[in-house]
Amino acid sequence: MNEPVASMQQKTVSVSAEHASFAGFWIRAAAFIIDCIIISIPISIISMPFVGYAAFKFMPYLDEYSYTQTVSSDMAAALFLCWGIALFLQLLGAVIFWLYFAWFESSAKQATWGKQLFGLRVTDAYGQRLTFARATGRTFAKILSYMTLYIGFMMAGWTKQKRALHDMIAGTLVMKIR
């Protein structure tokens, strides 16, 4: 069982030694910040009409509540609408995040726009392009990197191949192309 892992590491090292080096924590963090800014633009544009509509429906009840300190059935319905819109926007944001990362990292460029800016590329352990399914797995594995209080991300700063927790789970590498 250790032999496939050892051969995988040998192939990974030979690919990286010839064409690239492993991308560390700080450059990956900078690329991620740029990607989050890029993702926030369409999410904000899509969200504005929904938030405006929710505010339009809910605002008339604020004066009523401040005077009576009671919640009418109309106010409860407006509040429920606001929560529904908030849930919808959270789900929409998660879908956009997933599709952005999985699609770009499995594309011919093998990188999101933020990673492309810094000359980074996401590969499998053999230096090959990811499938959409593996890129999806890597994206969802980031949840575990978040749940470890971001230690999963910081692992890219101290592991030999600069792998974050989600890279280890998905069997991926982030390479800096020379």
Side-chain angles (χ1 to χ4, degrees), residues 34-153:
I34 290 169
D35 288 329
C36 287
I37 291 169
I38 291 168
I39 290 170
S40 71
I41 294 168
I43 291 172
S44 297
I45 291 169
I46 293 168
S47 297
M48 279 189 242
F50 288 101
V51 171
Y53 180 73
F56 176 75
K57 287 298 213 178
F58 188 69
M59 292 301 265
Y61 301 106
L62 290 179
D63 283 338
E64 173 189 325
Y65 180 76
S66 66
Y67 294 124
T68 63
Q69 299 292 309
T70 59
V71 177
S72 67
S73 61
D74 290 339
M75 183 179 180
L79 188 57
F80 186 74
L81 173 71
C82 291
W83 286 335
I85 288 173
L87 177 62
F88 168 74
L89 293 176
Q90 286 291 315
L91 291 173
L92 178 68
V95 168
I96 289 172
F97 183 91
W98 159 54
L99 291 175
Y100 176 83
F101 281 93
W103 186 69
F104 275 108
E105 290 174 355
S106 65
S107 72
K109 297 267 187 183
Q110 295 178 261
T112 60
W113 286 335
K115 287 181 181 76
Q116 288 176 41
L117 186 66
F118 290 103
L120 306 181
R121 183 175 73 185
V122 182
T123 70
D124 68 6
Y126 298 101
Q128 301 300 310
R129 181 173 150 185
L130 302 183
T131 63
F132 184 78
R134 178 168 281 183
T136 293
R138 181 178 188 274
T139 300
F140 283 104
K142 288 178 184 178
I143 294 169
L144 296 174
S145 292
Y146 288 114
M147 289 174 58
T148 59
L149 304 176
Y150 297 91
I151 292 171
F153 289 105

